[in-house]
mmCIF file of all heavy atoms in Angstrom:
data_model
loop_
_atom_site.group_PDB
_atom_site.id
_atom_site.type_symbol
_atom_site.label_atom_id
_atom_site.label_comp_id
_atom_site.label_asym_id
_atom_site.label_seq_id
_atom_site.Cartn_x
_atom_site.Cartn_y
_atom_site.Cartn_z
ATOM 1 N N PRO A 811 186.661 38.958 119.794
ATOM 2 C CA PRO A 811 187.944 38.329 119.958
ATOM 3 C C PRO A 811 188.625 37.859 118.633
ATOM 4 O O PRO A 811 189.836 37.959 118.483
ATOM 5 C CB PRO A 811 187.672 37.126 120.799
ATOM 6 C CG PRO A 811 186.428 37.449 121.563
ATOM 7 C CD PRO A 811 185.644 38.333 120.612
ATOM 8 N N VAL A 812 187.773 37.431 117.694
ATOM 9 C CA VAL A 812 188.374 37.015 116.408
ATOM 10 C C VAL A 812 189.020 38.161 115.692
ATOM 11 O O VAL A 812 190.106 38.078 115.130
ATOM 12 C CB VAL A 812 187.260 36.269 115.551
ATOM 13 C CG1 VAL A 812 187.762 36.017 114.152
ATOM 14 C CG2 VAL A 812 186.784 35.055 116.233
ATOM 15 N N ARG A 813 188.315 39.253 115.611
ATOM 16 C CA ARG A 813 188.862 40.466 114.979
ATOM 17 C C ARG A 813 190.088 40.961 115.696
ATOM 18 O O ARG A 813 191.012 41.406 115.058
ATOM 19 C CB ARG A 813 187.762 41.542 114.960
ATOM 20 C CG ARG A 813 188.109 42.681 114.033
ATOM 21 C CD ARG A 813 186.900 43.499 113.755
ATOM 22 N NE ARG A 813 187.211 44.490 112.764
ATOM 23 C CZ ARG A 813 186.411 45.425 112.377
ATOM 24 N NH1 ARG A 813 185.188 45.532 112.868
ATOM 25 N NH2 ARG A 813 186.739 46.354 111.508
ATOM 26 N N MET A 814 190.061 40.927 116.996
ATOM 27 C CA MET A 814 191.238 41.365 117.799
ATOM 28 C C MET A 814 192.441 40.472 117.490
ATOM 29 O O MET A 814 193.574 40.942 117.315
ATOM 30 C CB MET A 814 190.934 41.444 119.301
ATOM 31 C CG MET A 814 192.125 41.907 120.120
ATOM 32 S SD MET A 814 192.693 43.586 119.732
ATOM 33 C CE MET A 814 191.496 44.537 120.628
ATOM 34 N N ALA A 815 192.212 39.159 117.404
ATOM 35 C CA ALA A 815 193.307 38.279 117.119
ATOM 36 C C ALA A 815 193.906 38.526 115.732
ATOM 37 O O ALA A 815 195.106 38.536 115.563
ATOM 38 C CB ALA A 815 192.801 36.793 117.163
ATOM 39 N N GLU A 816 193.048 38.853 114.814
ATOM 40 C CA GLU A 816 193.516 39.203 113.435
ATOM 41 C C GLU A 816 194.323 40.542 113.518
ATOM 42 O O GLU A 816 195.379 40.622 112.854
ATOM 43 C CB GLU A 816 192.293 39.383 112.480
ATOM 44 C CG GLU A 816 192.670 39.576 111.094
ATOM 45 C CD GLU A 816 193.133 38.265 110.404
ATOM 46 O OE1 GLU A 816 192.948 37.193 110.921
ATOM 47 O OE2 GLU A 816 193.740 38.415 109.337
ATOM 48 N N ALA A 817 193.843 41.489 114.315
ATOM 49 C CA ALA A 817 194.585 42.775 114.415
ATOM 50 C C ALA A 817 195.962 42.496 115.052
ATOM 51 O O ALA A 817 196.958 43.133 114.646
ATOM 52 C CB ALA A 817 193.785 43.746 115.240
ATOM 53 N N MET A 818 196.004 41.647 116.077
ATOM 54 C CA MET A 818 197.285 41.236 116.722
ATOM 55 C C MET A 818 198.270 40.670 115.740
ATOM 56 O O MET A 818 199.470 40.982 115.728
ATOM 57 C CB MET A 818 197.046 40.330 117.862
ATOM 58 C CG MET A 818 196.239 40.859 119.021
ATOM 59 S SD MET A 818 197.011 42.203 119.868
ATOM 60 C CE MET A 818 195.953 42.369 121.284
ATOM 61 N N LYS A 819 197.773 39.830 114.833
ATOM 62 C CA LYS A 819 198.572 39.193 113.835
ATOM 63 C C LYS A 819 199.246 40.269 112.875
ATOM 64 O O LYS A 819 200.436 40.258 112.642
ATOM 65 C CB LYS A 819 197.728 38.215 113.023
ATOM 66 C CG LYS A 819 198.428 37.657 111.754
ATOM 67 C CD LYS A 819 197.487 36.847 110.940
ATOM 68 C CE LYS A 819 197.984 36.747 109.514
ATOM 69 N NZ LYS A 819 197.007 36.062 108.615
ATOM 70 N N HIS A 820 198.402 41.149 112.457
ATOM 71 C CA HIS A 820 198.878 42.228 111.555
ATOM 72 C C HIS A 820 199.855 43.190 112.270
ATOM 73 O O HIS A 820 200.880 43.566 111.674
ATOM 74 C CB HIS A 820 197.723 42.997 110.951
ATOM 75 C CG HIS A 820 196.912 42.221 110.019
ATOM 76 N ND1 HIS A 820 197.345 41.845 108.783
ATOM 77 C CD2 HIS A 820 195.637 41.812 110.116
ATOM 78 C CE1 HIS A 820 196.425 41.167 108.146
ATOM 79 N NE2 HIS A 820 195.359 41.149 108.953
ATOM 80 N N ALA A 821 199.587 43.434 113.546
ATOM 81 C CA ALA A 821 200.531 44.289 114.312
ATOM 82 C C ALA A 821 201.856 43.579 114.475
ATOM 83 O O ALA A 821 202.855 44.238 114.421
ATOM 84 C CB ALA A 821 199.902 44.581 115.683
ATOM 85 N N ALA A 822 201.818 42.266 114.753
ATOM 86 C CA ALA A 822 203.102 41.511 114.888
ATOM 87 C C ALA A 822 203.906 41.611 113.600
ATOM 88 O O ALA A 822 205.117 41.827 113.603
ATOM 89 C CB ALA A 822 202.824 40.066 115.240
ATOM 90 N N LEU A 823 203.281 41.363 112.471
ATOM 91 C CA LEU A 823 203.967 41.456 111.204
ATOM 92 C C LEU A 823 204.522 42.864 110.916
ATOM 93 O O LEU A 823 205.664 42.996 110.451
ATOM 94 C CB LEU A 823 202.988 40.978 110.055
ATOM 95 C CG LEU A 823 202.601 39.495 110.129
ATOM 96 C CD1 LEU A 823 201.517 39.251 109.102
ATOM 97 C CD2 LEU A 823 203.757 38.609 109.905
ATOM 98 N N ALA A 824 203.696 43.875 111.195
ATOM 99 C CA ALA A 824 204.152 45.213 110.937
ATOM 100 C C ALA A 824 205.245 45.599 111.850
ATOM 101 O O ALA A 824 206.261 46.215 111.415
ATOM 102 C CB ALA A 824 202.979 46.160 111.128
ATOM 103 N N GLY A 825 205.185 45.273 113.147
ATOM 104 C CA GLY A 825 206.246 45.642 114.121
ATOM 105 C C GLY A 825 207.529 44.929 113.774
ATOM 106 O O GLY A 825 208.640 45.558 113.804
ATOM 107 N N ARG A 826 207.477 43.629 113.434
ATOM 108 C CA ARG A 826 208.698 42.896 113.086
ATOM 109 C C ARG A 826 209.308 43.464 111.797
ATOM 110 O O ARG A 826 210.498 43.604 111.727
ATOM 111 C CB ARG A 826 208.373 41.388 112.962
ATOM 112 C CG ARG A 826 209.622 40.589 112.807
ATOM 113 C CD ARG A 826 210.497 40.640 114.061
ATOM 114 N NE ARG A 826 211.737 39.942 113.738
ATOM 115 C CZ ARG A 826 212.711 39.902 114.629
ATOM 116 N NH1 ARG A 826 212.633 40.480 115.804
ATOM 117 N NH2 ARG A 826 213.843 39.268 114.359
ATOM 118 N N GLY A 827 208.443 43.776 110.850
ATOM 119 C CA GLY A 827 208.932 44.353 109.568
ATOM 120 C C GLY A 827 209.666 45.668 109.812
ATOM 121 O O GLY A 827 210.705 45.956 109.228
ATOM 122 N N ALA A 828 209.071 46.478 110.669
ATOM 123 C CA ALA A 828 209.706 47.788 111.012
ATOM 124 C C ALA A 828 211.011 47.604 111.699
ATOM 125 O O ALA A 828 212.003 48.292 111.439
ATOM 126 C CB ALA A 828 208.761 48.617 111.838
ATOM 127 N N TYR A 829 211.066 46.654 112.582
ATOM 128 C CA TYR A 829 212.338 46.361 113.318
ATOM 129 C C TYR A 829 213.430 45.903 112.330
ATOM 130 O O TYR A 829 214.547 46.380 112.336
ATOM 131 C CB TYR A 829 212.102 45.312 114.359
ATOM 132 C CG TYR A 829 213.376 44.808 115.011
ATOM 133 C CD1 TYR A 829 214.013 45.548 115.966
ATOM 134 C CD2 TYR A 829 213.899 43.548 114.650
ATOM 135 C CE1 TYR A 829 215.217 45.109 116.585
ATOM 136 C CE2 TYR A 829 215.095 43.093 115.251
ATOM 137 C CZ TYR A 829 215.707 43.875 116.205
ATOM 138 O OH TYR A 829 216.944 43.465 116.763
ATOM 139 N N GLU A 830 213.063 45.007 111.414
ATOM 140 C CA GLU A 830 213.989 44.544 110.451
ATOM 141 C C GLU A 830 214.421 45.589 109.454
ATOM 142 O O GLU A 830 215.529 45.595 108.979
ATOM 143 C CB GLU A 830 213.423 43.280 109.778
ATOM 144 C CG GLU A 830 213.330 42.082 110.709
ATOM 145 C CD GLU A 830 212.615 40.906 110.076
ATOM 146 O OE1 GLU A 830 212.027 40.998 108.957
ATOM 147 O OE2 GLU A 830 212.706 39.794 110.713
ATOM 148 N N ALA A 831 213.487 46.448 109.101
ATOM 149 C CA ALA A 831 213.812 47.548 108.129
ATOM 150 C C ALA A 831 214.747 48.572 108.757
ATOM 151 O O ALA A 831 215.579 49.159 108.051
ATOM 152 C CB ALA A 831 212.529 48.217 107.690
ATOM 153 N N GLY A 832 214.588 48.802 110.058
ATOM 154 C CA GLY A 832 215.503 49.815 110.689
ATOM 155 C C GLY A 832 214.875 51.155 110.678
ATOM 156 O O GLY A 832 214.748 51.710 109.594
ATOM 157 N N ARG A 833 214.545 51.706 111.794
ATOM 158 C CA ARG A 833 213.984 53.013 111.886
ATOM 159 C C ARG A 833 215.014 54.122 111.632
ATOM 160 O O ARG A 833 216.188 53.870 111.774
ATOM 161 C CB ARG A 833 213.272 53.305 113.234
ATOM 162 C CG ARG A 833 214.175 53.336 114.425
ATOM 163 C CD ARG A 833 213.491 53.962 115.695
ATOM 164 N NE ARG A 833 213.326 55.297 115.486
ATOM 165 C CZ ARG A 833 212.183 55.988 115.529
ATOM 166 N NH1 ARG A 833 211.062 55.407 115.803
ATOM 167 N NH2 ARG A 833 212.115 57.267 115.362
ATOM 168 N N ILE A 834 214.558 55.317 111.290
ATOM 169 C CA ILE A 834 215.459 56.392 111.174
ATOM 170 C C ILE A 834 216.014 56.803 112.538
ATOM 171 O O ILE A 834 215.417 56.542 113.578
ATOM 172 C CB ILE A 834 214.804 57.630 110.433
ATOM 173 C CG1 ILE A 834 213.668 58.222 111.342
ATOM 174 C CG2 ILE A 834 214.331 57.285 109.114
ATOM 175 C CD1 ILE A 834 213.200 59.536 110.874
ATOM 176 N N GLU A 835 217.148 57.491 112.506
ATOM 177 C CA GLU A 835 217.719 57.918 113.741
ATOM 178 C C GLU A 835 216.870 58.983 114.380
ATOM 179 O O GLU A 835 216.285 59.865 113.740
ATOM 180 C CB GLU A 835 219.105 58.560 113.427
ATOM 181 C CG GLU A 835 219.857 59.156 114.602
ATOM 182 C CD GLU A 835 221.111 59.910 114.232
ATOM 183 O OE1 GLU A 835 221.514 59.795 113.032
ATOM 184 O OE2 GLU A 835 221.629 60.617 115.114
ATOM 185 N N ARG A 836 216.706 58.901 115.713
ATOM 186 C CA ARG A 836 215.965 59.942 116.435
ATOM 187 C C ARG A 836 216.888 61.138 116.650
ATOM 188 O O ARG A 836 218.047 61.049 117.066
ATOM 189 C CB ARG A 836 215.540 59.405 117.823
ATOM 190 C CG ARG A 836 214.542 58.251 117.757
ATOM 191 C CD ARG A 836 214.258 57.737 119.133
ATOM 192 N NE ARG A 836 213.562 56.479 119.074
ATOM 193 C CZ ARG A 836 212.249 56.333 119.186
ATOM 194 N NH1 ARG A 836 211.499 57.319 119.442
ATOM 195 N NH2 ARG A 836 211.701 55.115 119.126
ATOM 196 N N LYS A 837 216.322 62.306 116.305
ATOM 197 C CA LYS A 837 217.164 63.550 116.428
ATOM 198 C C LYS A 837 216.398 64.590 117.196
ATOM 199 O O LYS A 837 215.150 64.633 117.128
ATOM 200 C CB LYS A 837 217.440 64.091 115.037
ATOM 201 C CG LYS A 837 218.145 63.102 114.093
ATOM 202 C CD LYS A 837 218.188 63.679 112.670
ATOM 203 C CE LYS A 837 218.619 62.593 111.719
ATOM 204 N NZ LYS A 837 218.444 63.012 110.338
ATOM 205 N N LEU A 838 217.042 65.438 117.803
ATOM 206 C CA LEU A 838 216.445 66.574 118.607
ATOM 207 C C LEU A 838 215.762 67.543 117.648
ATOM 208 O O LEU A 838 214.736 68.073 117.904
ATOM 209 C CB LEU A 838 217.467 67.232 119.499
ATOM 210 C CG LEU A 838 216.901 68.315 120.422
ATOM 211 C CD1 LEU A 838 215.811 67.841 121.321
ATOM 212 C CD2 LEU A 838 218.051 68.948 121.191
ATOM 213 N N HIS A 839 216.417 67.810 116.524
ATOM 214 C CA HIS A 839 215.955 68.762 115.551
ATOM 215 C C HIS A 839 215.675 68.075 114.217
ATOM 216 O O HIS A 839 216.353 67.187 113.820
ATOM 217 C CB HIS A 839 217.007 69.874 115.321
ATOM 218 C CG HIS A 839 217.332 70.669 116.547
ATOM 219 N ND1 HIS A 839 216.518 71.556 117.118
ATOM 220 C CD2 HIS A 839 218.373 70.535 117.375
ATOM 221 C CE1 HIS A 839 217.053 72.048 118.200
ATOM 222 N NE2 HIS A 839 218.206 71.417 118.432
ATOM 223 N N GLY A 840 214.583 68.456 113.612
ATOM 224 C CA GLY A 840 214.153 67.889 112.338
ATOM 225 C C GLY A 840 214.942 68.488 111.143
ATOM 226 O O GLY A 840 215.510 69.601 111.268
ATOM 227 N N GLN A 841 214.946 67.810 110.042
ATOM 228 C CA GLN A 841 215.568 68.276 108.837
ATOM 229 C C GLN A 841 214.756 67.755 107.642
ATOM 230 O O GLN A 841 214.509 66.541 107.576
ATOM 231 C CB GLN A 841 217.009 67.863 108.702
ATOM 232 C CG GLN A 841 217.696 68.312 107.484
ATOM 233 C CD GLN A 841 219.150 67.840 107.458
ATOM 234 O OE1 GLN A 841 219.657 67.211 108.358
ATOM 235 N NE2 GLN A 841 219.829 68.155 106.344
ATOM 236 N N ALA A 842 214.296 68.629 106.778
ATOM 237 C CA ALA A 842 213.511 68.185 105.627
ATOM 238 C C ALA A 842 214.287 67.256 104.796
ATOM 239 O O ALA A 842 215.475 67.425 104.564
ATOM 240 C CB ALA A 842 213.116 69.411 104.811
ATOM 241 N N SER A 843 213.630 66.218 104.302
ATOM 242 C CA SER A 843 214.287 65.226 103.444
ATOM 243 C C SER A 843 213.887 65.367 102.016
ATOM 244 O O SER A 843 214.429 64.689 101.155
ATOM 245 C CB SER A 843 214.069 63.813 103.952
ATOM 246 O OG SER A 843 212.655 63.566 103.970
ATOM 247 N N SER A 844 212.861 66.231 101.704
ATOM 248 C CA SER A 844 212.398 66.387 100.356
ATOM 249 C C SER A 844 213.173 67.595 99.724
ATOM 250 O O SER A 844 213.109 68.671 100.301
ATOM 251 C CB SER A 844 210.901 66.655 100.323
ATOM 252 O OG SER A 844 210.226 65.541 100.872
ATOM 253 N N PRO A 845 213.812 67.429 98.612
ATOM 254 C CA PRO A 845 214.557 68.499 97.988
ATOM 255 C C PRO A 845 213.634 69.572 97.414
ATOM 256 O O PRO A 845 212.519 69.252 96.999
ATOM 257 C CB PRO A 845 215.338 67.807 96.895
ATOM 258 C CG PRO A 845 214.549 66.651 96.554
ATOM 259 C CD PRO A 845 213.895 66.180 97.790
ATOM 260 N N LEU A 846 214.009 70.789 97.430
ATOM 261 C CA LEU A 846 213.311 71.864 96.859
ATOM 262 C C LEU A 846 213.829 72.287 95.465
ATOM 263 O O LEU A 846 213.162 73.076 94.759
ATOM 264 C CB LEU A 846 213.295 73.102 97.718
ATOM 265 C CG LEU A 846 212.581 72.984 99.058
ATOM 266 C CD1 LEU A 846 212.764 74.213 99.935
ATOM 267 C CD2 LEU A 846 211.151 72.589 98.906
ATOM 268 N N ASP A 847 214.941 71.707 95.071
ATOM 269 C CA ASP A 847 215.536 71.971 93.728
ATOM 270 C C ASP A 847 214.498 71.611 92.689
ATOM 271 O O ASP A 847 213.907 70.532 92.708
ATOM 272 C CB ASP A 847 216.799 71.176 93.530
ATOM 273 C CG ASP A 847 217.933 71.601 94.525
ATOM 274 O OD1 ASP A 847 217.802 72.688 95.103
ATOM 275 O OD2 ASP A 847 218.849 70.868 94.679
ATOM 276 N N GLY A 848 214.334 72.514 91.666
ATOM 277 C CA GLY A 848 213.433 72.210 90.562
ATOM 278 C C GLY A 848 212.026 72.541 90.832
ATOM 279 O O GLY A 848 211.124 72.346 89.970
ATOM 280 N N THR A 849 211.745 73.101 91.978
ATOM 281 C CA THR A 849 210.361 73.529 92.243
ATOM 282 C C THR A 849 210.318 75.058 92.233
ATOM 283 O O THR A 849 211.375 75.711 92.221
ATOM 284 C CB THR A 849 209.878 73.040 93.674
ATOM 285 O OG1 THR A 849 210.691 73.750 94.669
ATOM 286 C CG2 THR A 849 210.055 71.527 93.823
ATOM 287 N N ASN A 850 209.126 75.575 92.128
ATOM 288 C CA ASN A 850 209.035 77.040 92.122
ATOM 289 C C ASN A 850 208.731 77.592 93.475
ATOM 290 O O ASN A 850 208.157 78.654 93.653
ATOM 291 C CB ASN A 850 207.905 77.484 91.142
ATOM 292 C CG ASN A 850 206.568 77.054 91.549
ATOM 293 O OD1 ASN A 850 206.418 76.271 92.499
ATOM 294 N ND2 ASN A 850 205.504 77.572 90.836
#
Side-chain angles (χ1 to χ4, degrees):
V812 172
R813 192 166 186 185
M814 182 59 81
E816 189 73 18
M818 297 293 192
K819 170 187 160 186
H820 291 294
L823 293 171
R826 187 65 186 177
Y829 173 76
E830 290 173 350
R833 66 164 288 123
I834 65 170
E835 176 187 350
R836 295 176 193 259
K837 303 172 192 169
L838 182 59
H839 300 283
Q841 180 179 357
S843 60
S844 300
L846 294 176
D847 296 343
T849 66
N850 67 350

